[in-house]
Amino acid sequence: QVQLVESGGGLVQAGGSLRLSCAASGRTFSRNTMGWFRQAPGKEREFVARISWSGSTAYGDSVKGRFTISRDNAKNTVFLQMNSLKPEDTAVYYCAAYSGGFATSPYYWGQGTQVTVSS
């Protein structure tokens, strides 16, 4: 049974930092693209970042230059370092494992972790 478990969310003041982690179990995703999405209340789920098995990355426009995605294939884990946080970054953040390479789509989802940024 595949599971993606996010951790590291919480409450932080504007300008602060958080580091999210997503631990995968049930199978290895070392050859799959992994990513992060977020959903704020009343809004659609939004792409945040993704990373290929080899380390290529892509970011949503709203987080470029502030967020960094990374992965540890040996630990089947992906991370999201979030710096210079803004109140508009408040959302539930979801980890996703894609079905294959960089151009594929998310296939597995985590349960989400809440990030709240106070002004």
Side-chain angles (χ1 to χ4, degrees):
Q1 179 182 359
V2 173
Q3 280 192 312
L4 303 177
V5 180
E6 301 98 334
S7 60
L11 174 64
V12 64
Q13 288 189 335
S17 298
L18 281 174
R19 188 186 193 218
L20 304 184
S21 300
C22 171
S25 62
R27 55 160 284 187
T28 179
F29 290 102
S30 60
R31 286 295 197 177
N32 294 68
T33 293
M34 301 290 291
W36 290 93
F37 290 75
R38 67 186 183 185
Q39 188 166 19
K43 295 188 177 181
E44 293 187 353
R45 190 168 293 189
E46 174 190 20
F47 166 73
V48 174
R50 71 180 187 271
I51 184 168
S52 73
W53 69 272
S54 61
S56 297
T57 59
Y59 295 92
D61 288 342
S62 60
V63 306
K64 281 181 182 176
R66 300 188 298 122
F67 291 11
T68 303
I69 189 170
S70 60
R71 65 190 296 165
D72 184 336
N73 288 334
K75 296 183 178 180
N76 226 15
T77 301
V78 63
F79 306 97
L80 185 68
Q81 178 66 44
M82 305 185 295
N83 298 329
S84 302
L85 282 162
K86 306 175 182 180
E88 51 264 43
D89 294 318
T90 295
V92 177
Y93 283 70
Y94 296 92
C95 174
Y98 286 55
S99 57
F102 213 52
T104 60
S105 298
Y107 191 77
Y108 296 103
W109 294 92
Q111 83 289 349
T113 186
Q114 177 70 46
V115 171
T116 302
V117 184
S118 63
S119 57

